[in-house]
Amino acid sequence: MKLLLLGGTEFVGRALTEDALARGWEVTVFHRGTHAPPEGVRALHGDRTAEGGLAALAEGEWDAVVDTWAGAPSVVRDSARLLADRVGHYGYVSSRSVYAFPVPEGAAEAEDAPLVEGSPDDGEVPYAESKRGGELAVLDAFGERALLVRAGLIIGPYENIGRLPWWLNRVARGGPVLAPGPRDLALQFVDVRDLASWTLDALEAGRSGPYDLVSPPGHATMAELLEECVRVSGADAELRWKDPETVLAAGVEPWLELPFWLPPGELVDVMYGADVSRALAAGLRCRPVAETVADTWAWLQAIGGTAPQRPDRPAVGLDPEREAKLL
């Protein structure tokens, strides 16, 4: 297989690149040159947001392309139109955020639920609309050759959002650790390597259309995640569980200040109750949470303990002084 990665040097893109190389595929990475791609790829440089920035892609043919763009849909539109006659399939890493909230019950498959509005011609718009606009851009150019990977929460090595790295580093500092309840909060996430493997398998098989890609509901609990952080770090840390009402009363912002955590309610059902039957039937396999946590910790240690941070995303984590007051 000849694969073109639009990006391919950070987090999801890097996992895709490394998996494709391990398969023996011929991989071309198109990126701005700010991060070094894995060895063994052919690198093309350009800025997709600049006039003439796609010039390096004016020639060449590939069996498939994977695009992880999360900004202006018009950027995806331009890339998809340019490549439509020279690429077999276009895999777009989208998001479950494209579903209109609240998600109604009764759809034959989760992927049939109503979607937010979007346009392939949009510039910078909110995240959900940008991902939907990106989907429409790919569908306009590739039609039945478009694969839409609607990912849920993505974690694992190379994470540049900071969620699991924050918990690992917090636990590694030791001492009492605020653990937001309930302990049995059922989480849904996907290891970036499992997402990469499934996506490449799907492209190779010629799959198309939308797939929600995240673990089955209850793949892990909040307690299992945090206990694995304690175990792999070897820290002298004590998880002190607090009920959701106590945490909320202290003004803690769910998800942002305490990554992964959401209090009981409708949002939990939306974020952590996705039906992923279609992806499972198409071969999705999710590794145990213990493996994801251990490998992320090993990666963090290898790079000095500080994870990269995407400049377009806010830093996550609870201020130590605020945590101490709650404890």
Side-chain angles (χ1 to χ4, degrees):
M1 286 276 288
K2 295 178 63 177
L3 180 70
L4 171 63
L5 263 297
L6 302 180
T9 62
E10 294 186 274
F11 198 24
V12 176
R14 190 174 189 92
L16 284 157
T17 301
E18 290 187 349
D19 192 309
L21 289 171
R23 296 167 184 243
W25 291 9
E26 182 180 325
V27 182
T28 301
V29 170
F30 175 80
H31 66 122
R32 288 171 295 179
T34 54
H35 299 87
E39 293 185 6
V41 306
R42 176 191 177 209
L44 300 175
H45 293 152
D47 183 348
R48 299 173 69 180
T49 65
E51 185 176 353
L54 296 173
L57 295 176
E59 297 180 353
E61 296 183 357
W62 295 270
D63 297 306
V65 58
V66 181
D67 189 354
T68 63
W69 185 259
S74 58
V75 173
V76 180
R77 175 201 64 197
D78 294 344
S79 302
R81 286 178 179 175
L82 179 66
L83 297 168
D85 296 331
R86 295 180 286 118
V87 172
H89 285 77
Y90 200 117
Y92 179 61
V93 180
S94 185
S95 168
R96 292 190 62 251
S97 296
V98 300
Y99 295 112
F101 183 83
V103 178
E105 298 181 0
E109 289 185 303
E111 291 83 356
D112 296 330
L115 304 169
V116 300
E117 296 294 326
S119 169
D121 301 319
D122 277 341
E124 294 298 332
V125 291
Y127 182 74
E129 287 82 354
S130 70
K131 281 297 190 181
R132 180 54 184 158
E135 289 187 352
L136 292 171
V138 176
L139 289 168
D140 285 349
F142 278 78
E144 293 296 323
R145 298 178 293 137
L147 174 70
L148 307 179
V149 183
R150 291 177 178 160
L153 176 62
I154 309 171
I155 61 175
Y158 305 123
E159 186 191 336
N160 57 3
I161 306 300
R163 297 183 180 104
L164 183 52
W166 183 83
W167 275 116
L168 283 164
N169 283 328
R170 171 60 196 95
V171 167
R173 292 203 307 268
V177 177
L178 173 63
R183 295 169 56 99
D184 61 354
L185 173 64
L187 308 177
Q188 271 188 302
F189 52 78
V190 62
D191 187 298
V192 68
R193 296 163 296 178
D194 296 331
L195 181 152
S197 178
W198 184 90
T199 300
L200 297 184
D201 285 347
L203 288 170
E204 190 170 29
R207 297 190 185 278
S208 61
Y211 288 84
D212 283 5
L213 210 76
V214 69
S215 66
H219 180 68
T221 64
M222 196 74 193
E224 289 169 340
L225 178 76
L226 297 189
E227 287 165 2
E228 285 300 324
C229 289
V230 175
R231 185 184 66 81
V232 302
S233 67
D236 182 18
E238 175 195 357
L239 298 177
R240 291 191 180 177
W241 292 92
K242 301 289 184 179
D243 62 76
E245 295 77 17
T246 299
V247 178
L248 289 173
V252 174
E253 186 173 353
W255 193 260
L256 185 62
E257 290 189 291
L258 291 174
F260 296 90
W261 178 69
L262 292 169
E266 189 174 42
L267 189 56
V268 167
D269 298 334
V270 172
M271 292 299 300
Y272 292 146
D275 175 8
V276 292
S277 301
R278 190 167 191 233
L280 291 172
L284 175 63
R285 299 293 179 267
C286 296
R287 69 193 68 205
V289 62
E291 184 176 338
T292 297
V293 173
D295 291 349
T296 303
W297 176 247
W299 162 71
L300 264 181
Q301 296 303 103
I303 63 172
T306 301
Q309 177 66 46
R310 276 181 56 166
D312 62 335
R313 296 293 184 91
V316 302
L318 186 61
D319 178 78
E321 292 186 5
R322 295 189 65 206
E323 180 189 20
K325 290 179 180 179
L326 266 165
L327 292 170

